[in-house]
């Protein structure tokens, strides 16, 4: 008995539906009846079957008039469209096209991603303002806020890069934005754009420092963990 049921289950086939649609159909403006109808259409399309609305209405336990209302709703929402196709024998037939649904789903995902990117950008920018205020030990002046806004929105410096420049300034015990700006300009000239670029630059400076230090001096004093660089003398 179980073997027979399993064979029926396998013979019935399966409908493939993206999780993007499964998880977001409500955000696309679909209700449950509309979503189930889409699954019914997808099932027949993937099996290469002709759409039989009477068969679908029976499967969904809907009267023909009720199914017609659901179908009209999908057409009005521009989720579905009816197109005319021609088979191999030259006979014309109607087909329900779901390409509008996919286009709407992709648009929704793009807009969602853009919102997430914008939200992350706001979070990163906030960390820059707060990080500088914490290190400076005081609120930022309107002019300083304008300078930071220029870095973020005009110069397009990545927030992580600004925070690293802040760290360099603090290590040199300099607490003003002009000094940080010189660091950022120097990095820009050297095509330093990421934290990985900064790390490589620091390693390069450390290596140069160690190679130029005299052997005697090298033995008499400990090596600094981070080389100090006077950014005010950078051209």
């Amino acid at each position: 008995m179980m073997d027979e049921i399993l064979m029926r289950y396998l013979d019935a086939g399966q409908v493939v539906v993206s999780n993007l649609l499964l998880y977001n159909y409500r955000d696309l403006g679909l209700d449950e009846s509309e979503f189930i109808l889409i699954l019914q259409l997808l099932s027949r399309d993937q099996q290469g079957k002709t759409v039989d609305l009477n068969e679908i209405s029976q499967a969904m336990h809907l009267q023909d008039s009720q199914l017609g209302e659901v179908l009209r709703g999908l057409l009005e929402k521009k989720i579905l469209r009816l197109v005319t196709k021609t088979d191999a024998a030259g006979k014309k037939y109607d087909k329900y096209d779901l390409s509008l649904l996919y286009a709407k789903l992709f648009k929704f995902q793009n807009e969602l991603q853009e919102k997430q990117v914008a939200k992350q950008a706001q979070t990163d920018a906030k960390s820059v303002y707060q990080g500088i205020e914490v290190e400076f030990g005081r609120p930022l002046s309107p002019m300083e806020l304008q300078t930071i806004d220029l870095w973020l929105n005009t110069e397009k410096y990545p927030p992580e890069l600004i925070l690293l420049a802040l760290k360099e300034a603090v290590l040199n015990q300099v607490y003003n934005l002009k000094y940080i700006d010189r660091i950022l300009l120097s990095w820009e000239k050297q095509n330093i754009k990421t934290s990985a670029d900064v790390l490589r630059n620091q390693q390069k400076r450390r290596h140069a420092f160690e190679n130029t230090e005299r052997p005697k001096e090298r033995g008499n004093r400990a090596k600094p963990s981070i080389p100090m660089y006077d950014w005010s003398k950078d051209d």
Side-chain angles (χ1 to χ4, degrees), residues 71-230:
L71 196 57
R72 281 192 296 274
L74 291 174
L75 292 169
E76 290 173 358
K77 292 177 181 179
K78 299 189 183 302
I79 295 292
L80 191 68
R81 65 179 176 180
L82 190 62
V83 296
T84 302
K85 297 285 186 178
T86 305
D87 61 18
K91 184 179 179 180
K92 295 184 180 300
Y93 66 96
D94 291 332
K95 178 180 175 63
Y96 292 97
D97 180 23
L98 291 169
S99 60
L100 292 176
L101 169 65
Y102 301 134
K104 193 168 185 178
L105 180 60
F106 295 152
K107 181 181 178 182
F108 169 77
Q109 283 296 304
N110 286 335
E111 291 175 349
L112 183 62
Q113 185 174 5
E114 288 173 357
K115 289 179 181 178
Q116 291 173 342
V117 170
K119 184 178 180 180
Q120 185 61 49
Q122 290 179 349
T123 301
D124 292 343
K126 186 177 180 180
S127 69
V128 170
Y129 290 104
Q130 291 179 340
I132 295 176
E133 283 189 335
V134 168
E135 293 296 347
F136 283 14
R138 59 172 175 78
L140 296 170
S141 69
M143 185 64 70
E144 288 173 326
L145 292 172
Q146 185 176 0
T147 298
I148 298 171
D149 181 74
L150 183 69
W151 289 344
L152 291 168
N153 300 311
T154 302
E155 301 297 338
K156 302 296 183 182
Y157 291 132
E160 64 170 355
L161 206 65
I162 299 174
L163 291 174
L164 286 171
L166 170 65
K167 183 178 179 180
E168 288 276 354
V170 171
L171 286 171
N172 284 283
Q173 298 183 349
V174 181
Y175 301 91
N176 64 70
L177 296 191
K178 288 184 179 180
Y179 193 80
I180 297 174
D181 190 58
R182 290 191 66 85
I183 296 175
L184 292 170
L185 286 173
S186 176
W187 284 347
E188 185 176 9
K189 291 177 183 178
Q190 299 173 71
N191 201 33
I192 295 175
K193 298 179 179 179
T194 67
S195 58
D197 293 336
V198 172
L199 178 60
R200 282 191 293 268
N201 181 261
Q202 289 176 342
Q203 291 173 341
K204 181 179 177 182
R205 291 186 181 280
R206 182 181 294 110
H207 183 69
F209 175 81
E210 292 173 350
N211 286 342
T212 56
E213 193 177 34
R214 289 179 299 177
K216 183 177 179 180
E217 293 175 338
R218 187 179 304 167
N220 291 337
R221 65 168 182 261
K223 299 175 184 178
S225 58
I226 298 178
M228 308 302 286
Y229 182 76
D230 188 355

Side-chain angles (χ1 to χ4, degrees), residues 20-52:
L20 285 178
L21 178 59
L22 181 62
Y23 297 155
N24 297 294
Y25 73 90
R26 274 290 189 178
D27 293 310
L28 298 178
L30 301 175
D31 60 27
E32 277 69 21
S33 294
E34 292 170 331
F35 180 60
I36 294 300
L37 176 53
I38 286 174
L39 294 183
Q40 294 284 346
L41 295 173
L42 279 173
S43 174
R44 284 153 181 78
D45 183 65
Q46 291 174 12
Q47 296 180 72
K49 292 182 179 179
T50 302
V51 174
D52 186 334

Side-chain angles (χ1 to χ4, degrees), residues 39-70:
L39 294 183
Q40 294 284 346
L41 295 173
L42 279 173
S43 174
R44 284 153 181 78
D45 183 65
Q46 291 174 12
Q47 296 180 72
K49 292 182 179 179
T50 302
V51 174
D52 186 334
L53 294 180
N54 290 327
E55 183 183 76
I56 292 177
S57 64
Q58 291 177 10
M60 295 181 63
H61 292 185
L62 294 176
Q63 296 180 359
D64 291 346
S65 59
Q66 292 175 315
L67 181 65
E69 290 178 6
V70 177

